[in-house]
């Protein structure tokens, strides 16, 4: 009897894990998704009141026009739409307060959401173009200047 109960629980865990993986894979395949972490800057958002000032766990996000769709939750996945305006400060490197698991030099973008709150998105440097989405001018705000060629004498 006990063996059947344990097998039933293991089967249930396996089914949930497969469903979660399939849901995450569908989200990743639906566009140019990138792995990121988020946190609130300033006052809390009315759209996402549980998002605090500390970095969230790793999540997946993608842009759909000017809406950042954030996939939240490993098993019972929800998609939170954040209609954003032009990035406040452009792209900047996170040095002192860098979140873990975002690469060696993660970059951050502070987005102003339609409810007036500001949300910072951190991602790996390789995902620079995916993080800024439709705001491509923000992606070049902190790039190094090109070397100036010498004039022939």
């Amino acid at each position: 009897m006990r063996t059947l109960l344990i097998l039933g629980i293991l089967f249930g865990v396996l089914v949930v894990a497969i469903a979660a993986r399939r849901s995450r894979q569908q989200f990743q395949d639906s566009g140019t998704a990138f792995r990121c972490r988020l946190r609130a800057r300033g006052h809390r958002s009315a759209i996402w009141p549980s998002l605090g000032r500390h970095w969230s766990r790793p999540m997946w996000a993608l842009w759909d026009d000017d809406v950042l769709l954030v996939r939240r939750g490993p098993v019972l996945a929800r998609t939170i739409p954040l209609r954003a305006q032009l990035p406040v400060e452009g792209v900047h490197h996170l040095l002192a307060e860098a979140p873990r698991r975002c690469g060696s030099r993660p970059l951050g973008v502070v987005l102003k959401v339609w409810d007036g709150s500001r949300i910072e998105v951190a991602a790996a440097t390789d995902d620079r173009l995916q993080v800024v989405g439709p705001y491509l001018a923000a992606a070049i705000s902190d790039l190094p200047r090109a070397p100036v060629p010498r004039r022939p004498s």
Side-chain angles (χ1 to χ4, degrees), residues 43-50 82 113-117 119:
H43 65 278
R44 293 192 184 251
S45 172
I47 303 166
W48 196 347
S50 63
L82 301 172
V113 185
W114 65 268
D115 68 350
S117 63
I119 294 178

Side-chain angles (χ1 to χ4, degrees), residues 4-14:
L4 283 176
L5 180 63
I6 292 173
L7 285 176
I9 290 172
L10 288 177
F11 181 73
V13 168
L14 181 67

Side-chain angles (χ1 to χ4, degrees), residues 8 16 18 22 25 36 38 45-46 52 55-56 60 65 70 78 80 86 92 102 117 119 123 133-134 145 148-150:
V16 168
I18 290 172
R22 185 171 282 173
Q25 194 66 38
C36 63
L38 294 99
S45 172
W55 291 110
S56 68
W60 286 91
D65 290 331
V70 180
R78 295 179 304 223
I80 298 176
L86 189 64
H92 57 278
C102 282
S117 63
I119 294 178
R145 293 187 178 266
V148 178
R150 292 186 176 181

Side-chain angles (χ1 to χ4, degrees), residues 49-137:
S50 63
L51 184 65
R53 294 179 191 263
H54 298 287
W55 291 110
S56 68
R57 62 174 188 73
M59 298 181 193
W60 286 91
L62 63 89
W63 284 95
D64 183 20
D65 290 331
D66 64 342
V67 179
L68 182 66
L69 300 173
V70 180
R71 184 184 180 277
R72 180 172 184 241
V75 178
L76 301 173
R78 295 179 304 223
T79 302
I80 298 176
L82 301 172
R83 184 172 303 277
Q85 297 173 358
L86 189 64
V88 178
E89 304 163 0
V91 175
H92 57 278
H93 284 282
L94 301 169
L95 302 174
E97 53 197 38
R100 296 182 316 201
R101 298 183 188 164
C102 282
S104 60
R105 288 193 53 185
L107 53 92
V109 178
V110 179
L111 299 172
K112 185 176 179 184
V113 185
W114 65 268
D115 68 350
S117 63
R118 288 183 163 79
I119 294 178
E120 186 170 15
V121 180
T125 306
D126 297 341
D127 295 329
R128 175 183 292 271
L129 293 178
Q130 285 86 5
V131 171
V132 294
Y135 307 110
L136 288 177

